[in-house]
Amino acid sequence: MSPFFWFSLLSLCSSCFAKSKPNIIFILADDLGWNDVGYHDSVIQTPNIDRLAAEGVKLENYYVTPICTPTRSVLMTGRYQFHLGMQHHVLVAQEPRCLPLDEVTLPQKLKESGYATHMVGKWHLGFCKWDCVPNHRGFDTFFGFYLAGGDYFTHTRQCHGHKFVAWDLRNNDEPVGPKYENQYSTMLYAQKAQEVIRRHNSDRPLFLYLSFQAVHAPLQVPEQYSNLYADKLKSDEERRIYAGMTTCMDEAIGNVTRTLKETGLWNNSVIVFSTDNGGSRIFGASNWPLRGQKGALYEGGVRGPGFVTSPLLNPSVRGTANRELLYVGDWLPTFVHLAGGTTEGTKPLDGVNQWETISQGTKSARKEIVHNIDPLRDLTRRPIGEPYTEDVPFDVRVAASIRVGHWKLLTGQKGDHRWTTPSDKGYKEEESEHGIVVLFHIMADPEERNDLSTCRPDIVNRLLTRLSFHNKMVVLPEEVVSNLHQADPLNFNMSWTPWL
């Protein structure tokens, strides 16, 4: 046979193989509460999220970390935040560090499998050096911002020590804040995601990471969205605006998924939706009926709304609620599996491939989640309660939490311990005393109301032993140090810019 025949056959096979790899669209909401999606009996209208979740698999036993930077670190590396030294706090504007540069990231692994990789939205994993930012860490393109948040319309954030603000919006390395002034970020990011989808060459698989600023503070939204709740939430301004922000984000998600269908990419795509942590009660969010909020180790801080929708799911699982144990760190090995790649070259992963669990409804490949181990949390303020007096294998003054099977143990400082009913359900706050060590059976008691630590010391000791095991591999977090002068946007034409 002629060389042309073999060349044509090889080209055809290569094209088929590329198309067999699914497009992966990961949509991350910021500070979205458990009770802030329609399918969780919320007053907030999220028809697109509800429809996508109803067509796919709702992840009802899915966990993130209590705050932003740690969750994003785990998502990008598949490794626990305390293995990265990223467990103590969020990265601040002028902090001279970032996600460790010796870590292999999710987009880098997908590029090995031939994926085009694009990011739109919030990074918040450090930008002190150019090597730290998204388009230098595996993403082909980046349109978004580096910091925790800022003004939704001006795309600015206040400078430390100054009364003025600086722009935080980039198109790859180029600062573009002034160009997009007065464009509301939720819709702007959706539009940029739609542009990525429309110009994508379908001969290659696509990885799109759409990381919304919404619904993080400040509370800002075009009035037509907050006005939707003028009657139902007229006495609760924070929740009224927050609800409008959430509905706007829902509309943006609908726009993005519609573009996937219009371009034909939908038929070979896996779409994942997740929050980065629990909602912030003081900014209008609700995690009801779960205990706690953003920043807490209780369920309200770490259990997040999430779902997977895709034509590639087994028909038997579509429209179901998956209650198997799943974790944000599982996405890296799961996506690499979908891409036909290998996790070789990464540091030891804490995530596991969960595609069969999600797409087929099999048992979870995970039996344990370490929600956090933060030695510095003990140094900042001693928790309420007497020290645990028994001979135990783990220093219980340290802020830590672990889930093994249905059992969950918390030690040290745990964060907000209240149950808060939202105003639309008759505002109420409840709280109870808690000791330095608490134990809950999450399946029987998802609201964490019944501390079983005194009646099940055997379980307490078993979980403390597991914490002791993990504690041996903890990378200590660094104290916050800021390069106020070097990093000052005054040095960079009033744009937040890498400075080292």
Side-chain angles (χ1 to χ4, degrees):
M1 294 185 182
S2 71
F4 177 77
F5 171 83
W6 290 113
F7 176 79
S8 300
L9 182 62
L10 180 61
S11 299
L12 178 63
C13 291
S14 298
S15 176
C16 292
F17 181 71
K19 291 182 180 178
S20 70
K21 298 179 181 182
N23 305 303
I24 299 170
I25 318 299
F26 192 92
I27 302 173
L28 188 65
D30 197 342
D31 290 5
L32 184 68
W34 180 261
N35 184 231
D36 296 335
V37 290
Y39 68 84
H40 279 169
D41 189 30
S42 177
V43 69
I44 300 176
Q45 301 168 30
T46 56
N48 293 290
I49 287 173
D50 296 348
R51 175 179 50 80
L52 292 168
E55 293 170 352
V57 178
K58 299 170 186 172
L59 309 179
E60 298 293 85
N61 199 14
Y62 168 65
Y63 289 87
V64 288
T65 82
I67 53 177
C68 173
T69 295
T71 290
R72 293 159 199 270
S73 299
V74 177
L75 171 65
M76 284 292 111
T77 64
R79 288 163 48 78
Y80 283 133
Q81 67 271 30
F82 54 85
H83 287 158
L84 307 167
M86 305 292 281
Q87 70 270 47
H88 183 58
H89 57 76
V90 300
L91 289 175
V92 298
Q94 291 141 314
E95 193 170 350
R97 69 186 187 109
C98 64
L99 181 70
L101 293 173
D102 60 350
E103 295 289 339
V104 177
T105 65
L106 171 58
Q108 288 172 329
K109 294 306 296 180
L110 293 179
K111 282 177 74 69
E112 291 177 4
S113 295
Y115 275 70
T117 59
H118 303 277
M119 180 180 174
V120 176
K122 175 175 173 175
W123 177 237
H124 205 192
L125 288 174
F127 68 101
C128 60
K129 301 177 181 179
W130 285 111
D131 286 347
C132 296
V133 302
N135 50 311
H136 295 261
R137 299 217 65 174
F139 288 102
D140 295 329
T141 67
F142 168 63
F143 184 95
F145 65 108
Y146 295 151
L147 296 171
D151 191 290
Y152 279 74
F153 293 96
T154 65
H155 316 295
T156 59
R157 187 175 177 89
Q158 188 167 4
C159 304
H160 182 86
H162 299 305
K163 293 182 179 179
F164 45 78
V165 296
W167 285 292
D168 184 22
L169 189 64
R170 297 266 166 176
N171 182 17
N172 296 316
D173 293 343
E174 180 188 1
V176 292
K179 180 179 178 180
Y180 294 95
E181 196 165 4
N182 296 320
Q183 295 190 41
Y184 186 66
S185 76
T186 300
M187 286 308 184
L188 174 61
Y189 296 145
Q191 291 163 11
K192 291 299 179 180
Q194 290 172 275
E195 289 176 12
V196 168
I197 293 166
R198 290 190 182 108
R199 68 171 180 256
H200 176 67
N201 181 349
S202 59
D203 287 341
R204 296 180 66 191
L206 167 68
F207 173 54
L208 172 60
Y209 174 33
L210 174 54
S211 176
F212 282 109
Q213 179 178 354
V215 287
H216 193 286
L219 296 175
Q220 295 175 306
V221 73
E223 283 190 357
Q224 70 260 34
Y225 297 100
S226 56
N227 286 345
L228 295 171
Y229 302 94
D231 292 330
K232 291 183 178 180
L233 296 171
K234 61 183 177 182
S235 62
D236 189 342
E237 183 178 11
E238 287 80 12
R239 187 148 178 79
R240 178 173 57 81
I241 299 173
Y242 173 92
M245 295 168 70
T246 307
T247 296
C248 181
M249 178 179 67
D250 177 82
E251 181 180 315
I253 291 170
N255 294 342
V256 171
T257 54
R258 184 178 64 251
T259 302
L260 284 169
K261 292 177 180 179
E262 290 171 352
T263 57
L265 295 181
W266 174 270
N267 295 330
N268 189 38
S269 291
V270 174
I271 295 89
V272 178
F273 176 81
S274 171
T275 186
D276 64 341
N277 44 250
S280 179
R281 182 177 54 83
I282 62 172
F283 293 115
S286 172
N287 304 296
W288 185 86
L290 303 178
R291 187 179 190 177
Q293 63 170 324
K294 174 182 179 177
L297 290 168
Y298 292 107
E299 294 292 281
V302 297
R303 191 170 185 167
F307 64 80
V308 177
T309 190
S310 172
L312 306 179
L313 294 171
N314 189 300
S316 66
V317 303
R318 295 178 193 167
T320 64
N322 187 305
R323 292 182 171 82
E324 294 295 315
L325 194 61
L326 298 165
Y327 180 57
V328 65
D330 296 336
W331 295 122
L332 184 147
T334 300
F335 292 165
V336 170
H337 164 77
L338 287 172
T342 172
T343 57
E344 290 181 10
T346 68
K347 293 185 179 181
L349 296 181
D350 301 302
V352 292
N353 173 22
Q354 297 277 29
W355 183 241
E356 281 196 9
T357 300
I358 295 166
S359 65
Q360 303 289 333
T362 61
K363 291 290 184 182
S364 174
R366 171 179 294 282
K367 303 300 181 186
E368 175 183 276
I369 296 173
V370 185
H371 294 300
N372 205 13
I373 300 175
D374 184 359
L376 289 189
R377 194 65 62 186
D378 174 50
L379 302 178
T380 57
R381 185 182 68 198
R382 284 181 66 87
I384 298 171
E386 294 298 320
Y388 205 66
T389 55
E390 294 184 20
D391 182 19
V392 294
F394 180 77
D395 184 351
V396 296
R397 296 170 300 176
V398 170
S401 179
I402 188 170
R403 169 86 178 264
V404 178
H406 298 309
W407 292 103
K408 179 181 176 183
L409 185 81
L410 301 89
T411 68
Q413 294 178 43
K414 306 166 188 68
D416 183 9
H417 62 277
R418 291 170 290 183
W419 298 270
T420 304
T421 306
S423 59
D424 50 276
K425 291 180 168 65
Y427 179 80
K428 181 174 65 172
E429 280 191 7
E430 303 173 75
E431 54 184 308
S432 67
E433 294 295 326
H434 61 281
I436 196 169
V437 174
V438 291
L439 176 72
F440 303 103
H441 191 283
I442 296 300
M443 173 171 274
D445 180 25
E447 298 177 23
E448 297 171 298
R449 292 182 179 271
N450 302 305
D451 176 15
L452 303 175
S453 59
T454 57
C455 60
R456 291 305 304 266
D458 57 323
I459 301 296
V460 169
N461 195 64
R462 178 156 65 92
L463 269 59
L464 286 174
T465 300
R466 290 299 300 161
L467 280 175
S468 177
F469 169 79
H470 288 286
N471 193 47
K472 295 172 184 175
M473 296 171 280
V474 164
V475 175
L476 290 176
E478 297 179 17
E479 296 280 6
V480 178
V481 177
S482 294
N483 293 156
L484 298 182
H485 175 69
Q486 285 180 281
D488 196 324
L490 279 170
N491 301 323
F492 304 102
N493 296 318
M494 297 312 299
S495 285
W496 293 102
T497 300
W499 67 93
L500 294 180

